[in-house]
């Protein structure tokens, strides 16, 4: 049995991870072989002290929680994710990290953990989006002169923009073309922007309602266009993927892995 520590159990994803780990919504049975032994949340969060899994209460003591687990699953905030990685490094604790909107300093803390422990980091843990990453890369490689645009839509509470998934899709398009994404990206358009530069990769953000996550990559040719889209209708897909990643990563050599490694996909 792999012992899981769930960070942010009161959050949208934290709740979905608890359900997936307990097999409640996980029809594929991916939760088998894992057990939740610890949970960590913010001090003021309602979940502190309450039971989040049979016999498990959320605490603010990340050290004790990591000591009671083999792998932690983190869908929280960038600051919390950095703090957890710093606490996990001396403990060489394996991790599954799904938080998005990370800064360079957050990435550094995660990189330090990856030196001593196996970790899976992904902006999206669904099977469908990870397949889509390969499809857009292939399309971008075949259609180097077509205009590529990504549009992402999420619920009104989402904090970071563009979504980590939209950025991963845009980076796959750049990789398919063998170009540096930062040199060709366009995240905002406003005012007299002139004609679209050749080779630009655009990412646009829409926010509203309770949309769990929609991503559409469009390749515009002359008089034709291709759309490759993914629409999530339940957080259970991300949670099931994260639990599957936790079971996969336990016992692997130290290093940073992604969901393509877990799924065995080659984009
Ligand atoms: P949310 O606001 O519902 O939940 C965040 C949780 O983090 C809350 O429970 C909060 O109490 C907790 N938290 C904050 N500070 C903490 C701390 N110091 N220690 C422990 N817990 C702390 O957000 P959400 O919708 O669940 O999303 C969380 C993150 O996951 C976001 O960055 C989101 O973009 C990302 N996300 C990733 C995927 C993926 O597949 N990779 C999918 C969905 C969401």
């Amino acid at each position: 049995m792999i012992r899981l520590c769930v960070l942010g159990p009161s959050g949208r994803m934290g709740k979905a991870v608890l359900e997936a780990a307990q097999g409640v919504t996980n029809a594929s049975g991916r939760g088998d072989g894992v057990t939740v032994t610890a949970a960590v949340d913010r001090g003021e969060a309602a979940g502190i002290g309450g039971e989040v899994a049979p016999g498990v209460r959320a605490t603010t003591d990340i050290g004790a929680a990591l000591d009671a687990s083999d792998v932690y699953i983190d869908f929280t905030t960038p600051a919390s994710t950095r703090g957890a990685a710093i606490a996990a490094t001396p403990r060489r604790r394996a991790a599954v990290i799904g938080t998005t909107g990370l800064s360079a300093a957050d990435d550094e803390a995660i990189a330090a953990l990856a030196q001593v422990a196996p970790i899976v980091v992904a902006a999206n843990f669904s099977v469908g989006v990870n397949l889509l990453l390969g499809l857009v890369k292939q399309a971008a490689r075949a259609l180097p002169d077509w205009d590529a645009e990504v549009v992402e839509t999420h619920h009104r509470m989402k904090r970071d923009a563009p979504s980590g998934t939209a950025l991963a899709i845009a980076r796959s398009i750049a990789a398919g073309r063998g170009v540096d994404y930062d040199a060709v990206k366009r995240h905002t358009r406003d005012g007299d922007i002139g004609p679209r530069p050749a080779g630009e990769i655009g990412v646009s953000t829409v926010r509203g309602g309770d949309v769990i996550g929609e991503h559409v990559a469009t390749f515009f040719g002359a008089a034709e266009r291709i759309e490759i889209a993914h629409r999530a209708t339940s957080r259970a897909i991300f949670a099931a993927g994260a639990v599957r990643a936790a079971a996969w990563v336990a016992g692997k050599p130290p290093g940073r892995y992604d969901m393509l490694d877990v799924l065995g996909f080659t984009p």
Side-chain angles (χ1 to χ4, degrees):
M1 249 333 166
I2 292 158
R3 299 171 306 156
L4 286 186
C5 171
V6 177
L7 306 192
S10 67
R12 284 176 286 265
M13 276 306 301
K15 286 191 183 108
V17 167
L18 285 172
E19 288 183 2
Q22 292 167 72
V24 176
T25 59
N26 193 350
S28 62
R30 296 286 184 201
D32 290 358
V34 301
T35 180
V36 176
T37 52
V40 183
D41 215 320
R42 287 175 299 143
E44 67 267 34
I48 292 299
E51 205 172 66
V52 296
V56 180
R57 293 181 189 283
T59 170
T60 54
D61 186 345
I62 179 103
L66 292 176
D67 287 340
S69 57
D70 302 309
V71 184
Y72 73 91
I73 299 185
D74 183 351
F75 290 88
T76 57
T77 63
S80 156
T81 293
R82 185 180 348 164
I86 290 168
T89 299
R91 295 177 167 83
R92 299 172 182 269
R93 191 62 68 244
V96 172
I97 300 174
T99 308
T100 59
L102 300 172
S103 68
D106 304 330
D107 277 331
E108 260 176 47
I110 290 170
L113 176 58
Q115 295 285 321
V116 297
I119 68 172
V120 180
V121 185
N124 196 302
F125 281 89
S126 84
V127 171
V129 160
N130 282 281
L131 178 65
L132 182 145
L133 291 177
L135 296 175
V136 296
K137 192 170 180 182
Q138 209 180 335
R141 194 181 292 130
L143 308 168
D145 303 329
W146 290 33
D147 296 332
E149 292 282 328
V150 180
V151 178
E152 61 103 334
T153 306
H154 281 88
H155 56 91
R156 64 165 75 93
M157 302 303 286
K158 184 165 176 62
R159 302 171 73 114
D160 55 313
S163 71
T165 301
L167 294 174
I169 292 169
R171 287 186 185 283
S172 281
I173 293 170
R177 290 182 173 169
V179 298
D180 173 15
Y181 176 62
D182 289 321
V184 297
K185 71 180 180 187
R186 172 70 77 109
H187 292 179
T188 54
R189 294 188 178 97
D190 191 19
D192 183 8
I193 60 164
R196 186 184 198 283
E200 190 170 83
I201 299 174
V203 180
S204 307
T205 297
V206 180
R207 290 285 175 271
D210 59 357
V211 178
I212 288 174
E214 297 189 0
H215 295 86
V216 183
T218 305
F219 294 87
F220 297 84
E224 57 179 331
R225 83 176 76 142
I226 292 174
E227 294 178 356
I228 304 175
H230 180 269
R231 293 182 175 83
T233 53
S234 165
R235 286 183 180 85
I237 57 172
F238 310 127
V243 171
R244 179 171 173 177
W248 180 90
V249 82
K252 286 276 182 304
R256 177 175 168 144
Y257 303 92
D258 62 23
M259 204 49 195
L260 297 173
D261 298 315
V262 176
L263 296 170
F265 285 177
T266 312

